[in-house]
Amino acid sequence: MESLDAYYADGGDGLSILLKDNIETADMPTTAGSLALANNAPGRDAPLVTRLRTAGFLILGKTNLSEWANIRSTRSISGWSAVGGLTPNPYDATRTACGSSSGSAVAVAVGLAPVAIGTETNGSIVCPASVNGVVGFKPTVGLVSRTHIVPISHSQDTAGPIATTVHDAALVLTAIAGSDPMDAATAEADTRKVDYVAALDADSLRGARIGVLRFMAITFSDDTKAAFERSLQAMRDAGAELVEITEGPDMRAIGGAQLTVLLTELKVDLNAYLASTDPEQVPTRTLADVIAFNAADPRETVLFGQELFERAEATGGLEDPAYVTARETSLRLSGVEGIDRMMAENRVVALVSPTTSRAWTNDRDDQDEGQGSASTLAAVAGYPHLTVPMGMDRGMPVGISFMAGAWRDATVLSLGYAFEQKTMARRAPGEPAPAGQDAQ
């Protein structure tokens, strides 16, 4: 895929971009993949869409997603929605495109658009980017507005770019970053944002101390581990100093606290979003209404249920002591005692890990399943997370993750850019392997 710089050089208007179908535009419905929102067209642009239009981007359309951004059920199928059906992985249609930004990642991977916008609460940008062989960037929460985006969690939600190159992801981020008076989390964004393209440095790995999260890499296949080791060597060759980190925070405790936070905030935030829509277009005015709608429409529950929605409906609100404790615990363990501690104690500027395993099959009854994920720490802490293609595992792409502390988005992008320029590991769908790499 040609860099977006070529579009600018031609002096043409309308840099093509696609949006995940939970982001509002004035000229298209926004469904979040749900039939309950099939007619949701309130005629307003999300602030990030306004920023894209101002920067010269042409909104081509909306991409499919995991319905309700994968928060409806523990048995949900990534990339499936009642509105859009199943998004296949372009490298092997029997395998997952991951989610929830499935359509955004696949569209970029196959060249439908040079860039797309996804959203992430935990893994929903970086997982589909990794398994579809493209770049995905989850910014610091608060760098990009979430207004008029169908929500899960005000603590963890963010939009971010998906692209074939780090350069193009940085270009899109430069366009969409900034404060929004309707989103309190973005109060610092105008003072924190920079020109992320100008901050890219192909030599930024030289002299950089990078922490290697070994405790996150132990569950992956031999091929993914081998690709990771080649990636680490490439960083050493580029002048980086790698520091082994073998122990991390209590991931089980983080996961349990996170679920309480997400379910509690889902009810509060989704109810607020639904109340802002046109009642003639969206008769479901609350989460309870959506649950009733799904129960009455077999098209919604033909493949899986809505037990997470039901658990969310039973939560007690933002003043509930269980929620308050869970939010404090999740922030502390993932941030202060997690990423922040590991970076400070090891004197590193970023942390790296395999992003996730190769794409697993869509057959929930076989033994081919996901083998791990690096997304939780940065997602729960609200910190930046970049995935860049690092190689192949039995013909399927795998990515490497770069993470750091809050507002270090430019550093993360620059290190990932330097790695990308050193390795050029991306292989597009159908592209043959280089000589001697057929097994990778």
Side-chain angles (χ1 to χ4, degrees), residues 129-178:
S130 178
V131 305
N132 291 290
V134 292
V135 171
F137 184 64
K138 184 200 83 71
T140 296
V141 171
L143 184 60
V144 177
S145 168
R146 292 88 53 87
T147 300
H148 303 329
I149 299 176
V150 182
I152 292 177
S153 159
H154 60 263
S155 292
Q156 293 181 209
D157 288 354
T158 185
I162 296 174
T164 54
T165 68
V166 176
H167 171 279
D168 290 353
L171 189 152
V172 173
L173 182 64
T174 301
I176 63 176

Side-chain angles (χ1 to χ4, degrees), residues 20-22 31-34 65-73 76-81 99-102 119-124 149-153 157 262 266 308-309:
K20 186 175 180 179
D21 189 19
N22 60 350
T31 73
S34 171
L65 69 158
S66 309
E67 185 169 320
W68 294 109
N70 244 357
I71 193 64
R72 204 184 85 187
S73 170
S76 63
I77 299 172
S78 285
W80 182 89
S81 74
S100 61
S101 306
S102 317
T119 65
E120 175 160 330
T121 305
N122 185 342
S124 287
I149 299 176
V150 182
I152 292 177
S153 159
D157 288 354
L262 297 189
L266 171 65
L308 289 181
F309 268 14

Side-chain angles (χ1 to χ4, degrees), residues 70 84 106 123 127 139 150 180 182 189 215 236 255 274 402:
N70 244 357
V106 171
C127 183
V150 182
D180 166 21
M182 295 184 287
F215 65 91
R236 293 188 190 97
L274 292 171
F402 293 80

Side-chain angles (χ1 to χ4, degrees), residues 149-233:
I149 299 176
V150 182
I152 292 177
S153 159
H154 60 263
S155 292
Q156 293 181 209
D157 288 354
T158 185
I162 296 174
T164 54
T165 68
V166 176
H167 171 279
D168 290 353
L171 189 152
V172 173
L173 182 64
T174 301
I176 63 176
S179 298
D180 166 21
M182 295 184 287
D183 183 353
T186 66
E188 293 185 57
D190 280 349
T191 59
R192 296 285 190 171
K193 69 178 183 179
V194 300
D195 183 333
Y196 295 99
V197 175
L200 298 177
D201 179 1
D203 200 37
S204 60
L205 284 167
R206 187 169 305 281
R209 283 174 62 89
I210 308 291
V212 181
L213 299 182
R214 286 295 179 188
F215 65 91
M216 282 191 178
I218 59 178
T219 59
F220 295 107
S221 71
D222 289 344
D223 284 354
T224 293
K225 289 178 180 177
F228 186 53
E229 293 304 322
R230 289 192 295 271
S231 299
L232 296 178
Q233 187 57 51

Side-chain angles (χ1 to χ4, degrees), residues 115 138 209 286 334 361 415 419:
V115 287
K138 184 200 83 71
R209 283 174 62 89
T286 65
S334 62
T361 69
L415 293 170
F419 170 82

Side-chain angles (χ1 to χ4, degrees), residues 323-345:
Y323 166 78
V324 174
T325 298
R327 185 66 187 121
E328 184 280 327
T329 299
S330 63
L331 275 176
R332 173 173 48 81
L333 292 181
S334 62
V336 175
E337 297 178 12
I339 290 176
D340 295 338
R341 179 190 61 79
M342 289 187 290
M343 292 185 65
E345 289 183 356

